[in-house]
């Protein structure tokens, strides 16, 4: 079968790889239908120290082909969402909804050889990992599939920023970042009752338009000190009740902290790169920092009804679709910001 393989700096190739097989009675094989390319895949692509050659991709949906003898929650033919990390569903962390810390869990393409940008994958701990979109396992309406795919990572990550920061009714929320996670955080903040969402840090017209359709009330095109000043002007000099940091760079993190009102909270979900936190800033402003790696599996149940009912359509973050054969082009386009997020049609 074919799968995307990372071969080192800026090189993704569609290689012939072995068909997945059931290795443990708790495994399932999933025939992948759609996959996403994530901002964190882009960090790998840009040679940030990932092993090569290695399978890549961790946002995917598809149909169960085969299950091991101990799998109970899914059966062949079920249409499923696969979270960006697999988890056993039984350990203490899983039971409290922190599946990303699962003691037996792991990342696609690392702890297990299989990954999401390919024709199929063996999924460990199928009962703890896979989530059916519909209770009877049937395939949902085609139009809903991109949005359901976002629940595997990008939307549930933006949602985690907003939930961790306790966005509440009436809050002014500033989202730092114009990537797909930031756009999803805008939508999540509105779902949780924010009265005003400010999106900071983008001067791209297409991203600004999408931010507005996701619910942003104000767009700030500046960055750094200028963006902090702009937020202060919009908030009567007091700062934003909540700031959602969705980039992960040192500058965006610092900007987020300085935009936050005294006693406010910064929710962060951007994978941190070189971030050093000024504890004095937190101390003087009584600012709370919350967030981290989103337990996507935990949030799927809470957010899926809004997708299935059409209340939210986070699948709009996929601004271009590619066949699996064009996976290298999809990475190149995302790397050059020619698309916000690629949707890969596998079959
Ligand atoms: Zn677990």
């Amino acid at each position: 079968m074919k799968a995307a393989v990372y071969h080192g700096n800026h090189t993704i190739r569609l290689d012939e790889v072995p068909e997945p097989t059931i290795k443990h009675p708790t495994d399932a094989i999933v025939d992948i239908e759609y996959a996403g390319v994530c901002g964190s895949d882009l960090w790998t692509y840009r040679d940030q120290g990932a092993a090569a050659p290695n399978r890549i991709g961790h946002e995917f949906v598809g149909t169960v082909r085969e299950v091991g003898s101990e799998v109970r929650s899914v059966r062949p033919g079920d249409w499923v969402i696969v979270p960006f990390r697999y988890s056993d569903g039984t350990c203490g962390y899983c039971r409290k909804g922190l599946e990303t810390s699962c003691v037996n869990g792991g990342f696609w393409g690392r702890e297990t050889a299989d990954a999401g940008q390919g024709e199929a994958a063996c999924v460990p701990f199928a009962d703890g990992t896979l989530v059916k979109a519909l209770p009877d396992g049937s395939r949902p309406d085609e139009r809903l599939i991109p949005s359901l795919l976002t629940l595997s990572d990008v939307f549930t990550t933006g949602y985690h920023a907003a939930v961790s920061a306790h966005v509440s009714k009436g809050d002014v929320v500033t989202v730092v970042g114009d990537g797909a996670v930031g756009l999803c955080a805008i939508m999540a903040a509105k779902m949780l009752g924010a009265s005003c969402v400010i999106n900071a840090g983008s001067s791209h017209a297409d991203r600004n338009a999408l931010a507005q359709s996701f619910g942003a009330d104000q767009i700030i095109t500046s960055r750094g000190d200028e963006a902090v000043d702009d937020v202060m002007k919009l908030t009567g000099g007091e700062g934003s009740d909540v700031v959602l940091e969705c980039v992960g760079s040192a500058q965006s993190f610092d900007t987020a902290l300085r935009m936050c009102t005294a006693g406010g909270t910064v929710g962060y979900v951007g994978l941190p790169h070189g971030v050093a936190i000024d504890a004095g800033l937190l101390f003087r402003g009584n600012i709370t920092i919350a967030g981290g790696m989103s337990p996507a599996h935990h949030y799927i149940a809470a957010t899926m009804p809004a997708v299935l009912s059409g209340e939210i359509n986070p699948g709009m973050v996929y601004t271009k679709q590619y066949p699996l054969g064009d996976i290298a082009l999809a990475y190149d386009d995302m790397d050059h910001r020619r698309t916000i997020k690629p949707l890969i049609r596998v079959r």
Side-chain angles (χ1 to χ4, degrees):
M1 63 163 232
K2 301 275 190 217
V5 176
Y6 170 68
H7 283 279
N9 192 16
H10 285 78
T11 309
I12 300 281
R13 284 203 290 267
L14 194 64
D15 287 356
E16 191 64 33
V17 301
E19 280 287 343
T21 53
I22 299 276
K23 297 173 208 71
H24 303 283
T26 49
D27 290 349
I29 310 286
V30 171
D31 285 321
I32 299 168
E33 188 180 350
Y34 283 98
V37 182
C38 179
S40 63
D41 291 331
L42 214 51
W43 285 107
T44 299
Y45 185 68
R46 290 170 177 167
D47 197 18
Q48 304 287 314
N54 220 15
R55 297 266 297 273
I56 190 164
H58 56 259
E59 301 177 356
F60 53 115
V61 293
T63 304
V64 175
R65 179 200 300 176
E66 185 184 350
V67 297
S69 60
E70 290 175 20
V71 174
R72 296 287 173 265
S73 65
V74 294
R75 48 185 190 185
D78 284 349
W79 196 91
V80 291
I81 299 169
V82 191
F84 73 86
R85 205 171 186 279
Y86 62 86
S87 50
D88 63 12
T90 55
C91 76
Y93 293 119
C94 284
R95 287 202 306 274
K96 69 178 178 187
L98 199 58
E99 291 91 327
T100 37
S101 294
C102 177
V103 295
N104 291 307
F107 288 103
W108 304 108
R110 286 192 233 165
E111 282 84 13
T112 183
D114 291 6
Q117 291 158 8
E119 290 181 327
C122 175
V123 174
F125 305 110
D127 284 340
T129 304
L130 298 174
V131 184
K132 289 187 282 198
L134 297 167
D136 65 357
S138 60
R139 186 175 183 274
D141 187 317
E142 180 77 28
R143 289 166 297 182
L144 297 175
I145 290 179
S147 289
L148 291 166
L149 176 61
T150 68
L151 304 187
S152 68
D153 185 348
V154 61
F155 181 73
T156 40
T157 291
Y159 190 76
H160 183 53
V163 170
S164 301
H166 301 291
V167 169
S168 309
K169 201 166 163 45
D171 280 347
V172 173
V173 177
T174 302
V175 175
V176 178
D178 68 351
V181 171
L183 291 163
C184 289
I186 292 169
M187 192 174 265
K190 280 288 181 175
M191 281 175 84
L192 297 174
S195 62
C196 175
V197 176
I198 303 167
N199 186 203
S202 181
S203 51
H204 293 71
D206 56 336
R207 289 169 190 256
N208 293 163
L210 206 49
Q212 280 167 328
S213 66
F214 274 44
D217 300 286
Q218 300 278 350
I219 304 278
I220 289 174
T221 56
S222 52
R223 293 185 182 199
D225 291 342
E226 212 185 315
V228 174
D229 288 345
D230 288 342
V231 167
M232 289 301 164
K233 276 179 212 148
L234 287 170
T235 54
E238 293 198 351
S240 191
D241 299 319
V242 171
V243 183
L244 305 179
E245 197 288 311
C246 301
V247 179
S249 73
Q251 193 211 34
S252 72
F253 218 105
D254 178 65
T255 302
L257 289 176
R258 288 187 295 122
M259 286 171 172
C260 191
T261 195
T265 304
V266 173
Y268 78 104
V269 289
L271 182 61
H273 284 80
V275 174
I277 291 166
D278 178 357
L281 203 62
L282 303 184
F283 180 82
R284 288 188 295 278
N286 279 282
I287 291 167
T288 301
I289 297 184
M293 195 192 301
S294 168
H297 184 274
H298 173 65
Y299 290 125
I300 292 177
T303 55
M304 193 140 61
V307 170
L308 292 173
S309 71
E311 179 193 332
I312 58 169
N313 184 13
M316 289 192 302
V317 293
Y318 299 106
T319 49
K320 214 166 168 188
Q321 184 175 311
Y322 304 79
L324 182 62
D326 284 346
I327 188 73
L329 175 65
Y331 273 83
D332 189 56
D333 280 355
M334 190 179 183
D335 189 35
H336 289 94
R337 291 173 77 90
R338 288 189 289 261
T339 177
I340 293 174
K341 190 171 175 70
L343 176 65
I344 309 300
R345 171 129 210 179
V346 177
R347 62 183 70 236

